[in-house]
Amino acid sequence: MRISKPYLRSTSIQCYLCLLLNSHFLTEAGIHVFILGRVSAGLPKTESNWQYVIRDLQKFENLIQSIHIDATLYTESSVHPSCKVTAMKCFLLEFHVIWQESNNMDVRETIENLIILANKSLSSNGNVTESGCKECEELEEKNVKEFLRSFNHIVQMFINTS
């Protein structure tokens, strides 16, 4: 089974477009188009990354239907918008716990992809410092289903504000 890794999206189309434009405009303007094309090809695509996180979350939910995960995980169920980055980091730490404890390669690959995509999307928030937020260990421990429901809710918060 081949896992799609959207965080490794190719930028070759943008490069070819730039080269095509550059070959027609061998002027200073053509060089600017080429440089701008290369810069835009490397910019993070955070808007769409959250959609891929949702897709991987759904895939993970489908995978765990067939396996039993008996875990309680620190879960932020009523996150305030001013603490969403802190809460997301806690969720990702808990996903890493699931990753470490799972022997199922499909589960591990899906979680790994989800973590990478979410971290890439979070990087657009820079080094946001949120004060007054709960530490991960202060959160209530909940079952996997409740954890996933809360995680989906916080991802939707990020989607609605981007």
Side-chain angles (χ1 to χ4, degrees):
M1 178 177 177
R2 187 171 174 262
I3 303 268
S4 169
K5 298 189 185 224
Y7 62 88
L8 295 176
R9 269 186 237 129
S10 172
T11 58
S12 61
I13 293 172
Q14 289 104 339
C15 293
Y16 291 132
L17 180 61
C18 288
L19 288 171
L20 177 67
L21 288 172
N22 196 27
S23 68
H24 284 48
F25 304 106
L26 292 176
T27 64
E28 188 175 329
I31 293 170
H32 290 329
V33 168
F34 179 75
I35 292 171
L36 288 174
R38 288 299 303 140
V39 169
S40 70
L43 290 176
K45 296 161 180 63
T46 57
E47 305 84 34
S48 61
N49 282 344
W50 289 118
Q51 295 299 330
Y52 287 117
V53 169
I54 292 290
R55 186 205 61 208
D56 285 339
L57 176 61
Q58 291 168 343
K59 183 175 183 178
F60 176 72
E61 288 173 332
N62 290 335
L63 286 169
I64 65 169
Q65 297 298 321
S66 61
I67 58 174
H68 180 68
I69 297 180
D70 186 28
T72 55
L73 303 159
Y74 293 120
T75 304
E76 176 62 86
S77 16
S78 58
V79 64
H80 190 275
S82 64
C83 291
K84 68 182 184 181
V85 173
T86 302
M88 179 57 76
K89 289 178 181 179
C90 291
F91 276 108
L92 296 178
L93 287 172
E94 292 300 282
F95 269 114
H96 191 70
V97 169
I98 296 170
W99 182 88
Q100 287 179 323
E101 293 181 2
S102 178
N103 294 327
N104 183 301
M105 289 309 295
D106 289 335
V107 167
R108 289 178 67 116
E109 287 178 9
T110 302
I111 289 174
E112 180 181 0
N113 200 45
L114 184 148
I115 290 170
I116 290 169
L117 288 167
N119 277 323
K120 185 175 178 182
S121 296
L122 279 179
S123 69
S124 68
N125 290 309
N127 292 330
V128 173
T129 305
E130 299 173 323
S131 59
C133 303
K134 291 181 181 179
E135 296 291 324
C136 298
E137 294 78 21
E138 296 176 308
L139 300 173
E140 188 177 342
E141 290 186 54
K142 297 197 174 183
N143 67 35
V144 174
K145 283 187 177 184
E146 190 62 35
F147 172 82
L148 295 175
R149 189 175 305 122
S150 295
F151 179 72
N152 189 23
H153 175 73
I154 193 170
V155 171
Q156 294 300 329
M157 288 176 73
F158 279 97
I159 289 172
N160 293 334
T161 58
S162 52

